[in-house]
Amino acid sequence: MKIEKPKLQQQLLEAEPVYALESKTEYKDRLIENIALDLQEVSKVSFENVLFRHVTILESTLEHCEFTDVRFEHCDFSNVNLQDSFMHRTQWLNCKLVGTDFSGSRWQNVSVLQSICDYSSFRFAHLKQVEYAECSLAGADFAYLKLQKIALSLCKMDQVIFTGTAMKGMDLSDCDFDALLLTLEDLAGCAIAPHQAASFVGLMGLIIK
């Protein structure tokens, strides 16, 4: 699956200090790095052609925000509320997204690479052309998703919730999990490896002796 990468024009990036985010503000052509922006409460913030590097935003609310041509490198957005956000041509690389709430969001051409996303929530999100590679997704919530091409590769996915999400066309064969929370109907059409099949025997009411 081809994912469009952020079209970052780094020669235009200004390393201008940002000490707090403001609602209904556009941040464009920015390099934001080496800063902690904790306890933010903003909405409808727009980011375009922005590189976040070594940025920490904890225990914050950034609802209805838009990210276009944005890359996050070595950032920590744990427990941030990013509900109903929009991301296009966005990349998360070596980031920490533990408990981050992306529910109701719309993602298109988004990559999450080598990141820790345990207990993050994407419930009711719309994901199109999205990939997760070498990520930890333990306990993440992918319930009731609208999916249009999603790729998961070499991810740790134990106890991920897929209830109400049609997984047809998804390939989990090289991912690592002991159990997923879903129904047989959700799983229909999903590719798995032979050794993973035993994880779903209980869904069929079978008992292995």
Side-chain angles (χ1 to χ4, degrees):
M1 181 174 63
K2 185 177 180 181
I3 304 287
E4 290 186 45
K5 296 181 179 179
K7 297 180 179 179
L8 278 174
Q9 302 179 51
Q10 298 201 37
Q11 72 276 16
L12 300 179
L13 298 180
E14 299 178 12
E16 184 175 331
V18 175
Y19 300 106
L21 300 176
E22 298 182 15
S23 294
K24 300 180 180 179
T25 300
E26 181 181 87
Y27 296 88
K28 189 173 182 179
D29 305 329
R30 294 287 190 93
L31 169 61
I32 303 175
E33 64 177 345
N34 301 322
I35 193 168
L37 296 170
D38 300 340
L39 303 175
Q40 303 292 305
E41 296 285 339
V42 298
S43 65
K44 299 182 179 179
V45 182
S46 173
F47 300 90
E48 183 178 350
N49 194 44
V50 175
L51 172 59
F52 289 85
R53 180 182 290 149
H54 296 286
V55 175
T56 299
I57 301 181
L58 302 177
E59 305 295 341
S60 299
T61 296
L62 283 69
E63 290 185 310
H64 301 283
C65 293
E66 297 188 6
F67 302 82
T68 302
D69 294 318
V70 173
R71 185 162 69 235
F72 300 89
E73 299 178 358
H74 303 280
C75 293
D76 190 346
F77 276 58
S78 294
N79 295 314
V80 172
N81 179 355
L82 279 158
Q83 290 185 17
D84 301 310
S85 57
F86 172 75
M87 296 193 184
H88 181 44
R89 291 194 303 268
T90 297
Q91 186 177 76
W92 300 84
L93 177 62
N94 284 306
C95 291
K96 190 173 181 181
L97 301 168
V98 177
T100 307
D101 189 353
F102 296 103
S103 58
S105 295
R106 291 179 295 127
W107 284 18
Q108 184 170 351
N109 289 297
V110 177
S111 298
V112 187
L113 311 173
Q114 301 172 356
S115 296
I116 302 173
C117 311
D118 298 340
Y119 306 106
S120 54
S121 177
F122 297 86
R123 185 168 287 226
F124 296 108
H126 187 169
L127 307 183
K128 181 178 181 180
Q129 302 292 113
V130 172
E131 66 171 340
Y132 297 84
E134 299 180 65
C135 292
S136 179
L137 291 160
D141 188 347
F142 284 88
Y144 305 105
L145 293 186
K146 292 182 179 179
L147 296 179
Q148 290 179 271
K149 295 188 179 180
I150 180 173
L152 296 119
S153 177
L154 300 172
C155 292
K156 296 180 179 180
M157 300 181 59
D158 201 35
Q159 300 296 319
V160 171
I161 303 169
F162 281 108
T163 305
T165 296
M167 299 172 65
K168 184 178 180 180
M170 195 180 298
D171 187 346
L172 304 182
S173 60
D174 66 0
C175 294
D176 182 25
F177 57 87
D178 290 327
L180 301 176
L181 304 181
L182 41 67
T183 67
L184 276 178
E185 184 179 2
D186 300 326
L187 190 63
C190 179
I192 60 174
H195 72 273
Q196 295 170 334
S199 300
F200 306 107
V201 168
L203 296 177
M204 297 180 284
L206 299 177
I207 299 174
I208 298 179
K209 291 186 176 182

